Amino acid sequence: MKLLKNSMKNIVKHNYLISKKDRQKLNNQNSFLIWFTGLSGSGKSTIANALEYKLYSEGYKTYALDGDNIRKGINNDLTFKPEDRTENIRRIAEVANLMVDAGLIVLAAFVSPYKKDRKNIENIVGRNNFVEIFINTSIEECEKRDVKGLYKKARAGEILNFTGINAPYEAPENPDIEIITDNKTVEESVNEIYKTIKLKLKDD
Ligand code: ADP
C-alpha cells in the first residue's frame, strides 16, 4: 500500500489541449452515463439496446457496455462473490467515466445489486453525468422468462450467488427513472426514458 502511494506521488497530470467540452462540441452532444440496474432477465439489455438504436438513429454517438463485453474482457478475472461484484462495478464505472470524458453517451446494463456500488458509480462519474434507471421486473416474471436458463440452474443449486435466488438485490429507492416492464412494451419503455433524458442530450 505504501509502495502504491509512493508511486502515485510521481504521477503528474499532463495538460492536454483538447478537453471534454471540446469533444462534446465536436460531437454536438452532451456526454453522460445511462445506467440500467435490475434482476437478471428484467430487460436491461433489451431496453438499453433499443434505446441505443433510437439514439444512434438520431445521430448520437453512443457505446453500450454489458456483461458480454466486460466480463469476457477487462473483468475476466472476477467472480460473482460480493467483493468481486463490487470491483466489477467499480471498473465498469471507471471505463464508462473515460468514455463520458471522450464525449460519448454510454449505456451500461448490469445487475449491480448493491446500493453502495451504485453510489460509487455516481461518485466516479459525477451526479450530473449519471442517470440511474431501475428496470423493475418481478422475480416471478424474470424466472418465467428465464432467457438464459440461469434461474433454473440457480434453483438446482448449480449457480452460487445468483441475484434474486441466493444473493440479494437492493432495489434503488430513488432512481431517476423506474420502468415496470410487467405492464410496458419495450417501445413504451424506450419512449419514456427518451422523454426524460431528452433535455440532457444536447451540449449546454
Ligand atoms: P437483462 O439484461 O436484464 O438480464 P435481457 O434484456 O437479456 O435482460 O432479457 C430480458 C428478456 O425479457 C428478453 O428476452 C426480452 O425480450 C423479454 N421481455 C419481455 N417483455 C419485456 C419488456 N416489456 N421489456 C423488456 N424485456 C422484455
Side-chain angles (χ1 to χ4, degrees):
M1 200 59 198
K2 201 163 172 219
L3 252 177
L4 185 71
K5 274 204 182 120
N6 279 341
S7 64
M8 291 289 282
K9 256 201 326 224
N10 294 327
I11 296 179
V12 180
K13 200 170 182 289
H14 191 88
N15 280 327
Y16 280 89
L17 295 172
I18 305 300
S19 70
K20 174 182 175 187
K21 224 53 264 95
D22 295 322
R23 290 184 283 269
Q24 290 176 331
K25 228 182 165 93
L26 191 68
N27 286 349
N28 189 28
Q29 68 181 37
N30 198 0
S31 60
F32 57 97
L33 169 63
I34 305 171
W35 189 277
F36 295 81
T37 174
L39 294 171
S40 173
S42 58
K44 301 179 297 296
S45 317
T46 304
I47 294 168
N49 190 11
L51 177 65
E52 184 180 30
Y53 183 81
K54 184 173 170 72
L55 293 173
Y56 177 90
S57 310
E58 292 183 11
Y60 291 103
K61 288 153 186 83
T62 59
Y63 193 80
L65 297 169
D66 72 6
D68 283 346
N69 54 24
I70 290 285
R71 282 249 180 216
K72 287 185 186 141
I74 190 171
N75 285 356
N76 68 4
D77 58 327
L78 301 178
T79 69
F80 288 86
K81 66 183 183 200
E83 313 87 273
D84 278 6
R85 281 181 177 243
T86 295
E87 178 60 8
N88 180 47
I89 299 304
R90 187 193 69 79
R91 288 188 204 167
I92 297 162
E94 291 289 358
V95 168
N97 192 36
L98 292 176
M99 290 183 164
V100 169
D101 196 44
L104 299 176
I105 295 166
V106 184
L107 302 95
F110 295 93
V111 176
S112 43
Y114 303 129
K115 264 191 207 148
K116 70 166 178 20
D117 291 346
R118 297 192 302 264
K119 188 73 200 155
N120 194 32
I121 307 164
E122 190 181 314
N123 291 337
I124 290 170
V125 300
R127 184 66 195 101
N128 281 341
N129 301 322
F130 179 62
V131 178
E132 186 184 38
I133 304 181
F134 176 25
I135 304 297
N136 188 354
T137 306
S138 62
I139 180 94
E140 292 76 19
E141 176 64 21
C142 293
E143 197 163 357
K144 203 161 74 195
R145 291 179 190 167
D146 206 5
V147 202
K148 299 172 187 161
L150 296 175
Y151 283 93
K152 196 158 167 241
K153 280 193 189 166
R155 289 278 183 212
E158 289 167 33
I159 309 177
L160 297 175
N161 296 321
F162 193 75
T163 304
I165 304 291
N166 43 25
Y169 178 76
E170 300 170 2
E173 274 156 24
N174 258 318
D176 297 298
I177 303 170
E178 178 172 359
I179 302 286
I180 301 175
T181 69
D182 296 56
N183 49 31
K184 262 196 192 78
T185 65
V186 174
E187 201 192 352
E188 283 167 346
S189 303
V190 167
N191 289 337
E192 186 176 331
I193 296 168
Y194 186 84
K195 243 184 17 214
T196 311
I197 63 169
K198 200 169 185 329
L199 282 176
K200 226 179 155 60
L201 292 171
K202 286 290 172 197
D203 60 332
D204 34 32

